[in-house]
Amino acid sequence: MANEMRDKGIAIANQAVDADNAGNYKDAIDKYGKATEYLITALKYEKNPVTQKTIRDKCNEYLSRMDQLKKGQEPKAAAAGSGGGKGKEESRSDDEEDEPEPEPLTAEQLAAAEKEMDEDLAKLVGMQSVKDNMKRLCKQLSLDIKRKQEGQKTLDAIRHMIFTGNPGVGKTTVSRLVAKLFHQLGVSSKDTVVEVQKGDLVAGYVNQTAMKTYKKIKEARGGILFVDEAYQLTQALMKGQTDFAGEAIDEMMKVMNNSGRKSTTFVFAGYKKEMDEFVTYNAGIESRIKYRFHFDDYTVKELVVITNLKLESKGYKLTPDAARDMELVIDKNTNADLRSKYNGRLIDNLLQWASDEMNSRLPLDASGDALITLHKSDFEKAIKRFATARPPTKADPTLLGGYEVEKHLSEWGLDQYSQLFARAGYRQLYDLLSLSSEKDVRALGVSKDADVNRTLQLVERLDEQHRVLSLKMDATFISLDGAADISAWLEQEGLTKFVELFVKNEINFETLADLTEDHLKEMGVSEIGPRIKLLKAIEVWRRERDIAKKEAIRAKMNVMNAPPPVLRDASLTDTEKLRSKLEKAGQ
């Protein structure tokens, strides 16, 4: 139910975006409202918290756009990509021109920025090699500023980076320091960091990844786009499997040579081995990356320092024996492998669990320092939890959805390949139609001959179903503008002078799709201008019909049974009532 209602909502949202971009604001408001209602219904049945958040964000986005349209406002990029990644391509050029370069920093400003960077680095625990690299980076940028002050030219402006290391070693923290440094030295226009993973860049459907990635790049413009676990973008591709992540990489590479204060700086982060493989996927990636920082795991002594800093910041205390033996407690109860999986997060968990132990130990009438003083025994009991705990793992958004594909693969004895199909973007039955050959199937990771044959048989059955549905729907999707017949359509398009000619030649909606320039000449449309105008109108109509037909077939093939129930309140567009429904949904 959740998948059906969500897909229906997305389809209507795409129609709303089309209407919005075309200036049909009344229709757009109605469709945004209907799309929101379907998504709210989907939210009631959705169990996955990541998907719930995505649906809520989309609903709020549509409701905000409805409010704007009701007030007669029209942003430059009206709801571009609000539904499934569609939107005007022209929105890409919005604000692309960089502002003039500011005056170079004065000697005093430069000295102040360098001093502040030194102070920020001094606060970091460990990371000596990273600190050294940061100081070299700061020195290089400072020298470039001095060159500009003297009217000299500077070398290349490439400033993208790779951060390698295990989780919890401070990669995100240092990326924020880089953003701050770039901003203070005038390299970037903002000091912000936009954090993303593969799921934030790669869409689940064809032709949506590029726009989704572009929106994140644009969001980070003037600052840093921090791509965590970036190696996930190339892992499937390097195995020869189909994956839309290639589109994301292509989109990023398009702008990585841009320069200026408003360009996006990319920081790719992940495990060292995997990131070394990441840059070998495409020579263009490696050539566009200038700096490499490696973050070593924290030593036990450094973890103790982090513990003390965190306790001090919260106003908590340690008993003398806890302070004395903290290093021993950590060293005795953990090993290098465990510490490498957690690093700084090990201390976050340890302090939380030690606090739990303290709360269990204290009586209800405890007061004063007793409420904020941790004992050695609290840490000894807390750290034993790591024996059964597992490092936190992030949900892989690329695996969300795709229930219908998963169900069909299971029916055909191919359920072991469900994740491969999902990661490659095959979420709807309609998507499987693009698997036209054995090579396509094997590229997904299906290796056994018998499994490849079964997959091709499944696709063949779906293809036959698609052909039947397509023929049935030819008569359904003939008039998209409400025109009763071809004469009414010509009048709507401002082509009234051709009504008599079309009626005489018995041209109707079924034959309109096949009408060519030669046919128009045979009909007597000899003037070039009117003939071109007719052909353009027919081409637009044909494309709109094909899109509507395609979306209907996609939805029909997904549902496979009865269509989704029609909502009683489908025409409701009151944003306040919809917001009230959204608040109650999923509770």
Side-chain angles (χ1 to χ4, degrees), residues 317-332:
K317 301 178 180 180
L318 294 173
T319 58
D321 61 334
R324 183 189 67 234
D325 297 336
M326 184 61 64
E327 183 177 339
L328 179 63
V329 170
I330 295 175
D331 189 39
K332 180 181 176 181

Side-chain angles (χ1 to χ4, degrees), residues 232-266:
Q232 291 186 353
L233 292 170
T234 57
Q235 282 182 326
L237 295 169
M238 293 180 77
K239 294 176 183 177
Q241 298 171 5
T242 304
D243 194 327
F244 296 145
E247 294 180 31
I249 293 172
D250 291 342
E251 195 67 24
M252 289 187 285
M253 288 179 62
K254 287 178 186 177
V255 299
M256 287 181 73
N257 283 336
N258 291 353
S259 60
R261 297 177 68 249
K262 283 191 175 181
S263 61
T264 302
T265 298
F266 293 85

Side-chain angles (χ1 to χ4, degrees), residues 325-355:
D325 297 336
M326 184 61 64
E327 183 177 339
L328 179 63
V329 170
I330 295 175
D331 189 39
K332 180 181 176 181
N333 294 280
T334 63
N335 55 38
D337 183 55
L338 176 65
R339 292 192 293 271
S340 72
K341 291 178 180 177
Y342 284 88
N343 281 292
R345 296 171 192 170
L346 183 144
I347 301 306
D348 292 332
N349 285 2
L350 181 59
L351 291 178
Q352 183 60 56
W353 294 338
S355 176

Side-chain angles (χ1 to χ4, degrees), residues 493-561:
E493 297 297 319
L495 301 167
T496 307
K497 61 182 289 187
F498 297 106
V499 169
E500 185 177 343
L501 184 63
F502 272 54
V503 171
K504 177 184 175 182
N505 287 274
E506 298 183 0
I507 302 297
N508 54 34
F509 282 123
E510 291 185 35
T511 55
L512 183 64
D514 299 318
L515 205 60
T516 65
E517 184 174 10
D518 289 338
H519 291 144
L520 292 177
K521 289 179 180 178
E522 289 181 23
M523 290 166 58
V525 184
S526 56
E527 301 89 346
I528 295 176
R531 191 164 67 238
I532 291 175
K533 188 174 181 181
L534 260 174
L535 287 170
K536 284 185 176 180
I538 293 170
E539 179 60 22
V540 170
W541 170 84
R542 185 188 292 118
R543 288 185 179 181
E544 289 179 348
R545 186 195 74 157
D546 289 346
I547 290 171
K549 197 170 108 176
K550 178 179 178 180
E551 290 303 318
I553 293 174
R554 182 191 295 273
K556 185 73 174 175
M557 291 183 70
N558 267 353
V559 174
M560 298 297 290
N561 299 306

Side-chain angles (χ1 to χ4, degrees), residues 18 109 292 380 386 459 466 504 511 541:
D18 288 339
Q109 291 172 323
R292 293 196 184 205
E380 288 176 329
F386 283 106
V459 173
H466 172 262
K504 177 184 175 182
T511 55
W541 170 84

Side-chain angles (χ1 to χ4, degrees), residues 2 20 35-36 46 130 160 166 174 186 223 272 357 363 370 405 531 551:
D20 198 347
T36 302
E46 182 58 59
V130 173
H160 311 301
N166 292 319
V174 173
K272 187 177 188 310
E357 295 296 338
V405 169
R531 191 164 67 238
E551 290 303 318

Side-chain angles (χ1 to χ4, degrees), residues 120-173:
D120 287 336
L121 291 175
K123 295 175 186 177
L124 299 176
V125 177
M127 302 188 196
Q128 192 55 52
S129 66
V130 173
K131 291 177 181 178
D132 292 342
N133 283 330
M134 282 293 291
K135 289 177 181 178
R136 279 195 288 270
L137 170 60
C138 184
K139 181 179 180 181
Q140 178 197 316
L141 296 175
S142 298
L143 289 173
D144 278 346
I145 289 173
K146 291 176 181 177
R147 291 183 180 100
K148 290 180 180 178
Q149 289 172 342
E150 297 183 6
Q152 305 291 336
K153 293 188 178 296
T154 59
L155 296 177
D156 62 77
I158 295 175
R159 53 182 188 251
H160 311 301
M161 307 179 179
I162 278 185
F163 287 1
T164 59
N166 292 319
V169 290
K171 297 189 291 291
T172 307
T173 299

